[in-house]
C-alpha cells in the first residue's frame, strides 16, 4: 500500500477524552474513530489489525475442530425468557421493540441462541460433541464505558459454545479451548496468565479468565509463587484468620463515640485495633435490606456477596441514608448487628470465631463493645465475604499471596446444564434414553485484545506491533520522493518484499522525512527500511520499531533481515 493513496489521518495532539496509552494511540494513529461514548469504528489500518487477530483466532479454533458460523446480533426476547435471563441481565442489555411491539435485544452474548439452534437440530448422541463459534459484534450498555476499545458498548467478540454428551466430554472440550486460548494469546504477543475466575452472569461451575498483565487493567489477579494458585480477586477464596478465640466473653458495654463514623475513627477513639471492630454495611436488594458484617480490616468482596444472595449483580445497591435510619434508628456510621429490624444478616465466616468485638450500637453516637457471636448477634448466612489482598495467606498452601493488575481478554466457562435444562437441549443416547447436553462457552474480546496488545507494546512515540498482528510488516520510507533513484529502489524493495509474502507500506508522501519517521513510529510498523541518499549505492537504513539502533545495509541484506524477522516472530 502506498501511503500517498491510503485513507489515513493521524492526530497531533493527545485526544482529551483518552486516559490510557492504547486509547490515546489508537485515536492518534487514526486506527479507530469514536461515534459516541463507548462506540467506535475501525479505520483501514485498525481494521487490518482486527482481521489479523480474528485470523489467529480462526486458525486455533479450527485446529480444535470448532466450526465457524454467524448468528444474528438481534435476538428475540422469548429465548432469554426461557433461560430466565431476560430479567437477570439487567440494564446492560440493549433492548428494543419491533413495529409490532415484540421485544428484542442486541446480543450481549449468545448462549440462548446457540442452544436454540442445537436443540432443534441435534437429537442423537451420534451428532455430539459439537463446538460452534462466531466472530461477531456484541452490544452491552456498560455502566462505565471507558478506555476506548477496552470497555466499549459495541465490541467484537469471538464466542464459542460446546455441546457434549456428558461432563467428561465437557472436560475435554474445555481443555481444548484452554489450549487454543493459550496459543491465541501467545501468537498475539501478549504476556498473560490463565487464572480461576468467578462465573458471573453467564453461570456454570468452573471458569478461567485469560488476563493480560497490565497496570491499567480493571481486573486484579491473586497468585502464589509457592504453588500453582492463581485466581481473580473476585473469585479467590480467603482463609479465615481469627484470633483470641479463647478470650473470655466480657459483658456487653455501650460506649459514647460522638461523631466517630468510620472504622479508623472508632479504632483511634477507643484505642482498639481495626481487626477487633465489625464493619456493618447496609445494602438494598429491591425491597429488601441486607446487612453485611465483616472485620474492620477487611474489604468486602461484592461478587461473593452477590453469589451468596443468589441475585444478579445489578440488583445490589448501597442503602441510602433514609433506609439506614429506618432499619437502624441511627445516623449512617453507627450501624451494627444488634436489633436490626426486618434485615437479613450476612456474616463473614471469620466473625463467629472472634470474641469481644466492637460495632455500631444502632444509636447515633454510640458503639457496643464486647459483642460475641451467638450471645449478642446472629446471622442468616455465614460465608467467606473477604476480598483477597496482597500478603493474605494462599488458600492452597498458606504462603503469602501476590496481586497483579490485568486486562481480561478471554474467559472460558463450564456451563454444565445451566442452559440445556431450562431450554430442553436433549439427545437420545445409545440405549435410546433421553439425556441432557452438557455445555461450555468460551469468549475472547477481539477488540479488547487489540487494546491490550498496545498496553503491553508501546513507547512514548507510539505503538510497537508484534509482527503477527501488525497492520503491515514493513514500512519503506522514502526520504526524498523527488529523487528518481530513491523512488525506484523503494519500488523494488516494495515489490520484492510483497512477493516474499510480507505486507508492505510505502511512505511515498511528499512530506519531510521527520514527519514520516514520526508517523511510522506512531502506527508501530515492526520494520522500517529507509531509502535515502545512499540509494545510488544500493544502500538503505534498517530499523526495528522495538529497537533504537539504525543499521546501514545493502538492499538485499535489509530485505533478508526483514523477512527473517517477520516470519520468525509470526509463528
Ligand atoms: P468484564 O468483566 O470485563 O465486563 P465479562 O466477564 O463481562 O468482562 P464475558 O462475558 O466473559 O466478559 O465476555 C467475553 C470477553 O469479551 C471478555 O473476556 C472480554 O475480553 C470481552 N469483553 C467483555 N465486555 C467487553 C466490553 N465492554 N468491551 C470490550 N470487550 C469486552
Ligand atoms: Mg462485563
Amino acid at each position: 500500500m502506498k501511503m500517498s493513496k491510503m485513507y489515513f489521518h493521524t492526530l497531533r495532539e493527545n485526544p482529551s477524552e483518552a486516559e490510557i496509552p492504547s486509547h490515546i494511540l489508537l485515536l492518534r494513529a487514526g486506527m479507530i474513530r469514536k461515534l459516541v461514548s463507548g462506540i467506535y469504528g475501525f479505520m483501514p489500518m485498525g481494521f487490518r489489525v482486527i482481521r489479523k487477530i480474528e485470523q489467529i483466532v480462526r486458525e486455533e479454533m479450527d485446529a480444535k475442530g470448532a466450526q465457524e458460523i454467524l448468528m444474528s446480533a438481534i435476538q428475540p426476547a422469548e429465548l432469554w425468557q426461557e433461560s430466565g435471563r431476560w430479567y437477570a441481565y439487567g440494564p446492560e442489555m440493549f433492548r428494543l421493540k419491533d413495529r409490532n411491539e415484540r421485544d428484542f435485544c442486541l446480543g450481549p452474548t449468545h448462549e440462548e441462541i446457540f442452544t436454540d439452534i442445537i436443540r432443534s437440530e441435534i437429537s442423537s448422541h451420534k451428532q455430539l460433541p459439537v463446538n460452534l463459534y462466531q466472530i461477531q459484534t456484541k452490544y452491552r450498555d456498560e455502566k462505565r464505558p471507558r478506555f476506548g476499545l477496552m470497555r466499549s458498548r459495541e465490541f467484537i467478540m469471538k464466542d464459542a459454545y460446546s455441546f457434549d454428551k456428558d461432563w467428561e466430554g465437557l472436560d475435554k472440550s474445555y481443555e481444548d479451548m484452554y489450549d487454543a486460548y493459550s496459543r491465541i494469546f501467545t501468537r498475539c504477543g501478549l504476556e498473560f496468565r490463565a487464572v480461576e475466575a468467578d462465573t458471573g452472569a453467564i453461570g456454570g461451575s468452573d471458569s478461567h479468565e485469560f488476563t493480560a498483565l497490565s497496570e491499567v487493567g480493571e481486573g486484579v489477579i491473586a497468585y502464589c509463587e509457592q504453588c500453582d494458585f492463581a485466581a481473580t480477586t473476585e473469585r479467590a477464596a480467603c482463609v479465615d484468620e481469627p484470633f483470641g478465640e479463647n478470650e473470655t466473653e466480657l459483658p456487653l458495654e455501650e460506649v459514647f463515640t460522638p461523631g466517630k463514623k468510620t472504622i479508623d475513627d472508632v479504632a483511634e477513639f477507643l484505642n482498639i485495633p481495626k481487626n477487633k471492630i465489625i464493619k456493618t454495611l447496609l445494602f438494598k436488594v429491591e425491597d429488601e435490606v441486607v446487612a453485611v458484617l465483616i472485620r474492620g480490616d477487611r474489604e468486602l468482596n461484592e461478587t461473593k456477596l452477590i453469589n451468596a444472595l443468589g441475585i444478579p449483580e445489578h440488583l445490589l445497591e448501597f442503602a441510602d441514608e433514609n433506609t439506614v435510619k429506618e432499619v437502624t434508628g441511627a445516623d449512617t456510621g453507627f450501624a451494627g448487628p444488634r436489633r436490626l429490624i426486618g434485615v437479613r444478616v450476612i456474616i463473614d465466616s471469620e466473625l463467629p470465631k472472634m470474641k469481644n468485638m466492637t460495632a455500631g450500637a444502632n444509636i447515633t453516637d454510640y458503639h457496643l463493645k464486647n459483642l460475641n457471636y451467638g450471645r449478642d448477634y446472629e446471622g442468616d448466612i455465614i460465608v467467606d465475604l473477604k476480598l483477597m489482598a496482597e500478603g493474605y495467606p494462599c488458600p492452597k498452601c498458606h504462603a503469602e499471596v501476590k496481586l497483579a493488575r490485568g486486562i481480561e481478554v478471554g474467559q472460558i466457562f463450564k456451563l454444565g446444564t445451566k442452559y440445556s435444562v431450562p431450554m430442553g437441549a436433549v439427545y437420545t443416547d445409545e440405549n435410546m434414553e433421553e439425556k441432557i447436553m452438557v455445555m461450555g462457552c468460551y469468549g475472547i474480546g477481539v477488540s479488547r485484545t487489540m487494546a491490550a496488545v498496545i498496553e503491553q507494546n508501546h513507547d512514548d512515540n507510539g505503538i510497537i506491533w508484534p509482527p503477527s498482528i501488525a497492520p503491515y510488516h514493513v514500512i519503506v520510507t522514502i526520504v526524498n520522493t523527488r529523487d528518481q533513484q530513491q523512488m525506484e529502489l523503494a519500488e523494488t524493495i516494495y515489490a520484492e518484499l510483497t512477493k516474499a509474502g510480507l505486507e508492505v507500506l510505502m511512505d511515498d508522501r511528499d512530506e519531510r522525512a521527520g514527519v514520516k519517521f514520526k508517523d511510522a513510529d506512531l502506527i508501530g510498523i515492526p520494520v522500517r527500511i529507509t531509502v535515502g541518499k545512499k540509494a545510488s549505492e544500493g544502500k538503505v537504513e534498517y530499523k526495528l520499531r522495538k529497537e533504537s539502533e539504525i543499521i546501514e545495509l545493502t538492499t538485499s541484506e535489509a530485505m533478508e533481515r526483514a523477512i527473517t524477522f517477520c516470519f520468525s516472530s509470526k509463528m
Side-chain angles (χ1 to χ4, degrees), residues 322-337:
N322 287 339
T323 311
V324 172
K325 190 121 208 184
E326 228 168 80
V327 299
T328 66
D331 288 351
T332 308
F334 300 96

Side-chain angles (χ1 to χ4, degrees), residues 140 142 149-152 155 157 408-411 445 448:
R140 293 184 186 179
E142 297 277 355
L149 300 185
M150 211 62 97
R151 183 167 299 285
S152 41
F155 58 96
M157 194 203 283
E408 177 198 327
V409 283
Q411 191 169 3
R448 185 184 281 183

Side-chain angles (χ1 to χ4, degrees), residues 302-320:
E302 283 191 18
T303 304
K304 288 180 183 172
L305 176 61
I306 285 162
N307 291 342
L309 293 169
I311 55 161
E313 189 180 337
H314 70 273
L315 290 188
L316 188 75
E317 49 181 348
F318 274 109
D320 54 68

Side-chain angles (χ1 to χ4, degrees), residues 250-270:
L250 301 172
L252 200 59
E253 190 187 325
E254 198 172 89
V255 284
F256 185 49
T257 50
K260 306 299 173 202
K261 297 184 171 197
T262 66
I263 299 290
D264 284 330
D265 288 348
V266 176
E268 199 193 317
F269 187 73
L270 297 177

Side-chain angles (χ1 to χ4, degrees), residues 253-280 294-297 331-336 356-371:
E253 190 187 325
E254 198 172 89
V255 284
F256 185 49
T257 50
K260 306 299 173 202
K261 297 184 171 197
T262 66
I263 299 290
D264 284 330
D265 288 348
V266 176
E268 199 193 317
F269 187 73
L270 297 177
N271 194 23
I272 46 173
K274 288 201 281 187
N275 56 19
K276 288 289 267 185
I277 302 176
I278 298 174
K279 180 151 62 181
T280 307
I294 190 163
R295 223 167 69 179
D297 60 326
D331 288 351
T332 308
F334 300 96
N356 303 322
M357 301 295 283
T358 295
N362 293 327
I363 304 169
T364 303
D365 291 339
Y366 284 90
H367 277 75
L368 287 174
K369 279 179 90 168
N370 306 328
L371 280 155

Side-chain angles (χ1 to χ4, degrees), residues 265-415:
D265 288 348
V266 176
E268 199 193 317
F269 187 73
L270 297 177
N271 194 23
I272 46 173
K274 288 201 281 187
N275 56 19
K276 288 289 267 185
I277 302 176
I278 298 174
K279 180 151 62 181
T280 307
L281 302 163
L282 293 165
F283 290 92
K284 256 190 121 156
V285 180
E286 296 189 297
D287 296 331
E288 194 193 3
V289 180
V290 173
V292 175
L293 309 185
I294 190 163
R295 223 167 69 179
D297 60 326
R298 308 286 197 192
E299 288 301 320
L300 169 68
N301 181 331
E302 283 191 18
T303 304
K304 288 180 183 172
L305 176 61
I306 285 162
N307 291 342
L309 293 169
I311 55 161
E313 189 180 337
H314 70 273
L315 290 188
L316 188 75
E317 49 181 348
F318 274 109
D320 54 68
E321 249 174 74
N322 287 339
T323 311
V324 172
K325 190 121 208 184
E326 228 168 80
V327 299
T328 66
D331 288 351
T332 308
F334 300 96
R338 288 229 351 142
R339 294 187 301 261
L340 284 171
I341 304 149
V343 175
R344 199 143 54 116
V345 182
I346 325 293
I347 299 189
D348 176 59
S349 48
E350 197 166 53
L351 286 181
K353 304 171 202 162
M354 301 275 302
K355 300 278 184 215
N356 303 322
M357 301 295 283
T358 295
N362 293 327
I363 304 169
T364 303
D365 291 339
Y366 284 90
H367 277 75
L368 287 174
K369 279 179 90 168
N370 306 328
L371 280 155
N372 287 293
Y373 187 80
R375 187 188 77 176
D376 306 313
Y377 70 99
E378 276 178 349
D380 298 295
I381 302 178
I382 299 172
V383 66
D384 167 30
L385 294 170
K386 294 173 283 298
L387 182 66
M388 183 57 91
E390 181 100 27
Y392 278 15
C394 165
K396 271 194 178 165
C397 77
H398 288 226
E400 282 190 7
V401 154
K402 292 221 153 46
L403 297 191
R405 289 204 151 268
I407 300 161
E408 177 198 327
V409 283
Q411 191 169 3
I412 57 178
F413 299 84
K414 284 187 187 172
L415 293 174

